[in-house]
Amino acid sequence: MTETETIKLSDYATAKGFCLTSAFWMMAATFMGLLGATELIAPAVTENIGGLVFGRVRPTHVNLVLFGFATPGLLAATFYFFPRVLQTRLYSEKLGVFTVIAWNIMLVCTVATLLSGNTQAREYAEMIWPVDILVVLAFALIVFNFFMTVQRRTEPLIYVSIWYACAAAVLTMLTYALGNVIWRPDGGALTGIPDAILLWFYGHNIFGLLLTPLSIGVAYYVVPKAIRAPLYSHTLSLLGFWALIVVYTHIGTHHLLQVPVPTWLKVVAIVDSIAMVIPVMAFLINIWYTARGKLGAIHADIGAKFVFTGTIMYFFVSIQGSMMALPQVQRVTHFNNWVVGHAHIGVLGFSGMIALGGLYYVLPRMTGKPLFSRFLADFQYWLILIGVVGFTVILTIAGLIQGNAWLNGETVYRVLPEIHLYYVIRAALGVLIFVSAVLGFYNIARTMFMPERGAG
Amino acid sequence: MYFPYFATYMAVGIALAIAAFVWALKNGQFTDQQRARFLPLEDDAGAGEVKRSRMGRLEILALGFLACAGLAASAAVLVFALVSF
Ligand code: HEM
């Protein structure tokens, strides 16, 4: 019996748990986004409902997207391939399941605290101290499980996806603790400019050192598997990995170019934002060359289709990001909907797509049953694709109107009616994404809980 | 004064990264890269690929209704916006 054969289907409890977590919370997260978008069109809609004012809905939306949908989705695929590529078992499936439970408790606490107005009021770091501790603990458990599994591996070589997954877990555990200033439980913040620098160090790392490496790791696994061909170059993939570690870790200050932070920090941030082209292109060239001439196989597998689309989105978001880090460009694009457009290509178009792709790829393999409905998954794909491309176009236009108006010294009340239409279209696109989340949850839940062998 | 803390933090980060890199180098992680390319392929899980949907009639109706309702809601919002603009 080979090592891989000893990995039984029952072994994937952790991955399955994260699968369901992601699918369920995607509904909640996108609903909150839709609610927020509606409030931007009709602010009076939730006028007398304190818990649902925009200021509470928005942080609930972003935190749920980050920690409820994208991260668990990526972790689901990661917990599936981690032991497989290392040719061993996961160190502790029990610990993994415990992590999933703790993770969901953390998410419930997040919603309850944020909607009841308990917040630390720092962007992406809104969660209060007890919830912060839960997040750090969850990541500590993941790190432990990952490292112990690596130690017990029978395959001496560590595949690039494992490097990415381990880096994401370790770096997020550290930057989350640091960026949320967890040694100051009541405020969760430093004061003044140092706090802004620390916050954005964390804020960007949550995308750059959590979502990005997990997504890249999943793509590096799913694409070669789906097309049944080796990776174009493992050396290039490692180069990309180390370049990301060197470059991505300190570009947070590009969020603060128009703030009086020390110039050297801005210079580091800008130079490294441009240098991001290296890890980004190392990954993209590698994955696209791997898939070259085999797009048919990508298209045939719904998981790979999501993942591959995510890599294309990664190209757009990264090139756009490097441009946005230039002060001249940011004079127009900062503080308006342009950035929101960028955020959605990144988090939904890139990480979200890859998270869903990972889920759809591993789900039939770990349950041993075919996907409940390929049609539904395809339908979800198109809803999301239309939604995210639409978001990008609409929010970019709205952002340019706002940015130019600001540069020209126009007052806000004259600009708001000009962008109203775009806000309405944005909400309409949000409906598509929310519906897609409901369909996705149904499909995933049915696949998991369907009786063993059905017809077809 | 917060620079010393940031500088220390960055230094620790770099030190950890270098340590990991050196470990990888000594451990032979950068050798045998040709074989490494094939690692994901070594575990061939026979996955049940789905060929066709296995949805019942009621399910198709309910999900179709949900999807149409979503699309209709989006269209209605758009029409409303265009008319009232
Ligand atoms: C080379 C890669 C990237 C670079 C150089 C980059 C650069 C930037 C810059 C300069 C901003 C600040 C814009 C401003 O406030 O004016 C920004 C914002 C943002 N980026 Fe990126 N980006 C990159 C990739 C990504 C990826 C892959 C994601 C998601 C996974 C992402 C998510 C976000 C989000 C959510 C924001 C909004 C932050 C806020 O709320 O203000 N970015 N990015």
Side-chain angles (χ1 to χ4, degrees):
Chain A
M1 195 185 276
T2 69
E3 192 59 42
T4 23
E5 278 170 71
T6 62
I7 304 174
K8 289 198 292 293
L9 291 174
S10 58
D11 278 350
Y12 298 113
T14 313
K16 286 180 193 161
F18 273 122
C19 246
L20 276 179
T21 305
S22 172
F24 173 78
W25 288 100
M26 184 185 178
M27 293 192 294
T30 50
F31 177 75
M32 283 295 168
L34 180 58
L35 185 60
T38 311
E39 290 176 359
L40 288 177
I41 317 170
V45 121
T46 51
E47 208 176 14
N48 294 319
I49 315 175
L52 294 181
V53 290
F54 186 79
R56 296 187 190 180
V57 169
R58 194 222 180 240
T60 312
H61 164 63
V62 295
N63 281 295
L64 282 187
V65 167
L66 266 173
F67 294 110
F69 159 52
T71 307
L74 295 165
L75 282 175
T78 306
F79 269 100
Y80 170 82
F81 72 66
F82 206 92
R84 298 193 77 89
V85 180
L86 294 169
Q87 306 222 351
T88 181
R89 283 161 176 272
L90 187 68
Y91 167 68
S92 167
E93 209 64 66
K94 276 194 188 132
L95 185 64
V97 173
F98 181 73
T99 312
V100 175
I101 294 169
W103 194 281
N104 279 283
I105 293 174
M106 176 269 283
L107 290 170
V108 172
C109 293
T110 300
V111 177
T113 51
L114 290 179
L115 288 184
S116 60
N118 289 291
T119 170
Q120 291 184 334
R122 294 158 88 239
E123 199 181 351
Y124 302 121
E126 288 94 351
M127 277 115 95
I128 55 172
W129 189 76
V131 188
D132 286 344
I133 295 297
L134 275 177
V135 177
V136 177
L137 273 179
F139 274 102
L141 296 180
I142 293 173
V143 168
F144 183 67
N145 222 343
F146 278 1
F147 273 36
M148 293 308 285
T149 311
V150 170
Q151 206 195 11
R152 294 178 164 205
R153 72 188 189 280
T154 56
E155 165 57 60
L157 279 182
I158 297 178
Y159 184 62
V160 63
S161 296
I162 306 292
W163 279 106
Y164 273 115
C166 288
V170 172
L171 291 169
T172 305
M173 181 183 72
L174 296 177
T175 45
Y176 192 96
L178 192 83
N180 283 276
V181 195
I182 57 165
W183 59 96
R184 286 192 183 171
D186 21 319
L190 306 175
T191 47
I193 291 292
D195 187 61
I197 298 173
L198 188 60
L199 173 68
W200 280 111
F201 160 80
Y202 158 75
H204 206 90
N205 283 357
I206 214 71
F207 307 111
L209 297 181
L210 175 64
L211 295 189
T212 302
L214 283 181
S215 309
I216 294 182
V218 171
Y220 269 137
Y221 178 76
V222 170
V223 171
K225 283 289 287 184
I227 61 173
R228 295 185 183 85
L231 187 65
Y232 172 66
S233 162
H234 196 257
T235 315
L236 184 61
S237 71
L238 288 182
L239 181 101
F241 171 78
W242 288 102
L244 185 115
I245 296 297
V246 171
V247 173
Y248 225 150
T249 31
H250 31 252
I251 64 177
T253 307
H254 66 204
H255 294 264
L256 298 169
L257 295 183
Q258 297 171 43
V259 175
V261 299
T263 308
W264 67 268
L265 260 177
K266 291 185 187 176
V267 173
V268 170
I270 296 169
V271 171
D272 279 356
S273 299
I274 305 297
M276 269 305 289
V277 171
I278 302 169
V280 169
M281 288 323 288
F283 163 65
L284 289 176
I285 288 172
N286 212 353
I287 216 75
W288 289 345
Y289 261 107
T290 305
R292 206 171 130 204
K294 303 200 179 68
L295 286 183
I298 299 268
H299 190 74
D301 187 301
I302 182 67
K305 189 162 136 182
F306 267 105
V307 170
F308 198 77
T309 311
T311 65
I312 297 170
M313 296 289 179
Y314 186 50
F315 174 77
F316 287 119
V317 73
S318 302
I319 298 302
Q320 183 191 38
S322 295
M323 297 298 149
M324 282 157 60
L326 298 172
Q328 282 81 351
V329 176
Q330 224 187 70
R331 283 192 62 193
V332 182
T333 60
H334 191 52
F335 277 149
N336 58 52
N337 277 298
W338 173 293
V339 179
V340 186
H342 170 78
H344 282 87
I345 322 179
V347 180
L348 180 59
F350 162 54
S351 303
M353 278 277 191
I354 296 190
L356 284 167
L359 286 189
Y360 283 128
Y361 186 81
V362 303
L363 202 58
R365 284 159 180 88
M366 64 188 180
T367 53
K369 296 179 268 184
L371 197 62
F372 168 63
S373 164
R374 158 88 197 213
F375 165 75
L376 269 189
D378 253 325
F379 195 64
Q380 184 184 24
Y381 170 87
W382 282 104
L383 288 181
I384 295 184
L385 191 63
I386 296 170
V388 75
V389 173
F391 268 177
T392 311
V393 174
I394 293 302
L395 293 169
T396 303
I397 299 175
L400 286 175
I401 295 175
Q402 287 176 296
N404 280 302
W406 194 4
L407 274 186
N408 294 334
E410 272 194 55
T411 48
V412 170
Y413 78 89
R414 290 174 64 102
V415 182
L416 284 180
E418 286 175 29
I419 58 168
H420 183 76
L421 175 65
Y422 301 101
Y423 272 165
V424 173
I425 301 177
R426 187 259 201 113
L429 293 164
V431 179
L432 297 187
I433 308 219
F434 172 62
V435 168
S436 91
V438 178
L439 297 179
F441 175 69
Y442 185 75
N443 202 4
I444 290 169
R446 279 302 302 261
T447 306
M448 273 195 180
F449 299 118
M450 183 165 66
E452 264 305 309
R453 290 272 165 220
Chain B
M1 258 315 260
Y2 58 95
F3 290 127
Y5 299 108
F6 277 118
T8 314
Y9 177 75
M10 281 186 175
V12 171
I14 292 171
L16 280 179
I18 292 177
F21 188 83
V22 170
W23 174 84
L25 195 65
K26 289 206 170 142
N27 197 260
Q29 290 301 330
F30 301 114
T31 59
D32 212 1
Q33 293 295 294
Q34 280 307 321
R35 195 172 70 78
R37 297 168 58 216
F38 289 83
L39 285 180
L41 302 176
E42 276 172 22
D43 63 322
D44 230 2
E49 254 303 298
V50 64
K51 290 284 176 286
R52 63 188 168 88
S53 284
R54 291 180 296 149
M55 288 193 282
R57 220 186 144 78
L58 258 181
E59 266 168 335
I60 294 182
L61 281 178
L63 292 169
F65 173 75
L66 180 65
C68 292
L71 292 172
S74 305
V77 178
L78 267 180
V79 171
F80 171 77
L82 293 171
V83 170
S84 65
F85 193 54

